[in-house]
Amino acid sequence: MAVLPIRVYPDPVLRVRCPEVTAFDGELERLARDMVETLHAAPGIGLAAPQVGVEARLAVVDITVGREPEALHVLVNPVIRERRGEVVEEEGCLSIPELSDRVARPYGLRLEYQSLQGEPAALEVEGLLARAVCHEVDHLDGVLFVDHLKGLRRERARRFLRRMAREEVGV
């Protein structure tokens, strides 16, 4: 297993809509293991494949940050089928360090996905786990949490991201 470098804004891979995973093999399992190790090392509660430079619909979510192994969710080709309620809470992202803001997300959701072996699966989640799943599914569509902000919060985030992009290119 290996800790992978986490891609940071403005890396273009963060804006890619990832293609579905079609090969359920050892390479996919290795990537998932490396992503889990990277997530726990960061530490974070969710990580999507594009955040480590891979264009694939794969995400790992663990709101216990490794404290409870049974809480780990490896989601291949996840699709949110139902959203329930709404809650606004603080959210951040490993790919946009030092920025967080209040984002509206569903309180609960029903998710369909595949296992690492390609088997269909479903999950009903609420609270922080639902928020984390939504955040990671957004990453697989090239959407960042700042894209959900409105008004002055959105403008503040845009200024922050422009500053990050200038620093990245050394301007």
Side-chain angles (χ1 to χ4, degrees):
M1 292 195 300
V3 173
L4 305 170
I6 295 174
R7 302 293 181 94
V8 176
Y9 186 87
D11 192 310
V13 74
L14 298 173
R15 290 301 193 172
V16 170
R17 185 179 194 304
C18 296
E20 285 198 358
V21 170
T22 57
F24 295 86
D25 54 15
E27 187 176 325
L28 180 65
E29 289 181 16
R30 232 178 345 276
L31 174 60
R33 280 194 309 271
D34 289 348
M35 286 175 60
V36 170
E37 187 168 332
T38 303
L39 175 67
H40 292 159
I45 63 169
L47 187 69
Q51 291 181 275
V52 294
V54 178
E55 294 179 21
R57 296 190 78 76
L58 170 66
V60 296
V61 178
D62 180 359
I63 62 171
T64 72
V65 194
R67 289 188 307 273
E68 298 173 23
E70 68 280 358
L72 173 65
H73 298 280
V74 178
L75 310 170
V76 182
N77 299 326
V79 177
I80 297 172
R81 294 292 184 198
E82 179 185 325
R83 299 167 188 258
R84 296 182 308 280
E86 182 178 272
V87 64
V88 178
E89 290 185 356
E90 196 76 13
E91 194 169 313
C93 180
L94 294 173
S95 292
I96 309 176
E98 301 177 27
L99 179 66
S100 63
D101 211 323
R102 296 176 57 77
V103 177
R105 297 277 188 189
Y107 174 75
L109 57 86
R110 185 172 60 82
L111 177 77
E112 292 176 359
Y113 63 100
Q114 290 172 281
S115 71
L116 286 171
Q117 294 73 38
E119 297 296 321
L123 197 57
E124 297 260 347
V125 296
E126 294 181 336
L128 181 58
L129 184 53
R131 173 173 295 279
V133 166
C134 283
H135 182 107
E136 300 315 320
V137 170
D138 271 357
H139 270 300
L140 301 179
D141 292 329
V143 175
L144 302 174
F145 84 93
V146 295
D147 298 333
H148 294 285
L149 300 176
K150 297 187 181 0
L152 292 175
R153 291 178 185 277
R154 185 177 186 109
E155 185 52 39
R156 180 180 141 262
R158 283 184 177 161
R159 284 194 309 270
F160 182 88
L161 294 176
R162 281 194 298 268
R163 194 167 53 250
M164 278 185 77
R166 280 195 308 270
E167 291 170 6
E168 177 74 15
V169 295
V171 175

